[in-house]
Amino acid sequence: MQAHSLDENRKIIHRLEGGRLAYYVQTADSDYWDRQWTQSNVESLYASAGLGHLGKFERCFTKYLPKRGKIIEAGCGLAQNVLALSHRGYEVEGVDWAPQTIEMVKQRFPALSVRVGNVLNIDVPDDYYAGYISLGVVEHRAEGPEPFLKEAWRVLKPAGTAIFTVPFVNRIRRLKAALGTYNAKPVSGEFYQYAFTKEEFVALVGESGFDVVATGAYDSYKGIFDEFPTLKKLIGRQLGPYHVGSVLQKGLSKLTWIEDGCGHMLLVVARKPGLSGAE
């Protein structure tokens, strides 16, 4: 699924609820995701994925995902990660609950292992996968992410690796929360997603039975400029042959200390305790 951009012409209501930042705009049901994905620029996405390019997940995936054993992307969306990992020799499949999107992927890539399914109840036995990927999925449940995390733990083999990403209450959002910025009441719109502090989400992953291996953050451009819409408009312009925002986005992504502090998304790598079958 991954992080994506909401329609910027639509009003998003932010509200601090405990330590989480709640976004209210539209229920993220399967029809919604079909609309989101069919509006994406799939040609450039698949051109890159078809060459095995993993983009911002290159270092994380190649370092932590097992080279042997089945891997699932739970909430695969357009399945570009499934395509890229398959190209690189991983045994990977994707599940998503947006049927039109999955049908489109199957038509383009008949050999790709993708299917419609509910990631809260994946149709495999316990201890089945060696790796589990969840990018921008578990934050969309108003009651909390715990069932997603528990299902990930169930389907992973002992010593299996899970990679989760969720929106991040970064330093800027912490500051705005302390200043009382996020005090709107959800008088219109429906729950969309949460952003989590690192402390809370790491604790939730641990409470689900995992050992946390690594954490990080990414997409600081969005993490910074989503909070300052006027500034975002100023940099979203062309300067000669260069788009200012695109140049800045590439520059920020190379600065780890800015990414970790101001990233829009939090990344957590976790391991299910136990010995693998090979050990």
Side-chain angles (χ1 to χ4, degrees):
M1 184 173 295
Q2 299 190 45
H4 58 278
S5 297
L6 294 168
D7 184 344
E8 296 185 2
N9 294 318
R10 296 167 57 212
K11 182 176 177 57
I12 303 170
I13 299 171
H14 302 84
R15 177 176 170 81
L16 198 65
E17 298 181 357
R20 301 175 188 175
L21 182 60
Y23 294 60
Y24 288 87
V25 61
Q26 179 178 355
T27 300
D29 57 16
S30 60
D31 289 339
Y32 173 84
W33 290 117
D34 274 328
R35 291 192 299 273
Q36 283 290 105
W37 299 133
T38 54
Q39 293 169 7
S40 301
N41 183 1
V42 297
E43 300 304 331
S44 61
L45 194 71
Y46 287 142
S48 179
L51 297 173
H53 296 165
L54 294 167
K56 61 176 70 74
F57 299 108
E58 173 74 29
R59 182 176 178 274
C60 178
F61 283 4
T62 56
K63 181 176 181 179
Y64 293 109
L65 286 177
K67 302 299 188 297
R68 297 172 56 190
K70 294 180 182 294
I71 298 170
I72 184 173
E73 183 175 7
C76 63
L78 291 168
Q80 70 270 24
N81 293 311
V82 178
L83 178 62
L85 288 168
S86 296
H87 179 84
R88 296 173 72 145
Y90 290 85
E91 187 179 0
V92 59
E93 59 190 55
V95 174
D96 200 279
W97 72 333
Q100 293 178 28
T101 301
I102 292 297
E103 182 59 30
M104 182 271 290
V105 174
K106 285 184 171 182
Q107 288 178 2
R108 282 176 170 263
F109 308 103
L112 205 62
S113 181
V114 295
R115 66 186 186 275
V116 176
N118 182 355
V119 299
L120 290 172
N121 185 21
I122 300 172
D123 54 346
V124 297
D126 298 353
D127 304 335
Y128 186 79
Y129 293 108
Y132 179 101
I133 303 168
S134 172
L135 306 178
V137 176
V138 308
E139 68 269 18
H140 293 293
R141 183 175 182 269
E143 297 79 13
E146 291 88 345
F148 291 101
L149 303 176
K150 291 177 181 177
E151 180 67 354
W153 192 94
R154 181 189 73 80
V155 301
L156 269 177
K157 294 180 177 181
T161 298
I163 298 173
F164 302 101
T165 73
V166 292
F168 183 29
V169 180
N170 58 29
R171 291 173 184 166
I172 294 171
R173 290 167 181 159
R174 283 179 185 258
L175 177 60
K176 291 181 72 172
L179 295 174
T181 304
Y182 304 124
N183 57 5
K185 295 181 180 179
V187 293
S188 62
E190 299 179 12
F191 175 80
Y192 178 70
Q193 68 181 16
Y194 289 118
F196 297 88
T197 64
K198 182 170 78 171
E199 295 80 4
E200 182 188 15
F201 193 70
V202 165
L204 288 168
V205 172
E207 290 165 5
S208 298
F210 290 100
D211 295 327
V212 173
V213 175
T215 63
Y218 63 92
D219 202 355
S220 57
Y221 177 86
K222 184 173 176 61
I224 295 169
F225 294 104
D226 272 11
E227 301 302 320
F228 303 105
T230 302
L231 186 58
K232 189 173 184 178
K233 289 180 180 179
L234 289 176
I235 64 170
R237 57 184 61 188
Q238 203 75 17
L239 186 62
Y242 302 105
H243 185 273
V244 178
S246 296
V247 172
L248 184 57
Q249 186 172 14
K250 290 179 182 177
L252 289 173
S253 68
K254 296 178 181 179
L255 300 175
T256 303
W257 61 277
I258 293 183
E259 289 278 273
D260 286 344
C262 301
H264 172 59
M265 298 294 287
L266 173 69
L267 183 147
V268 173
V269 181
R271 183 175 182 269
K272 183 174 179 177
L275 298 176
S276 69
E279 293 179 294

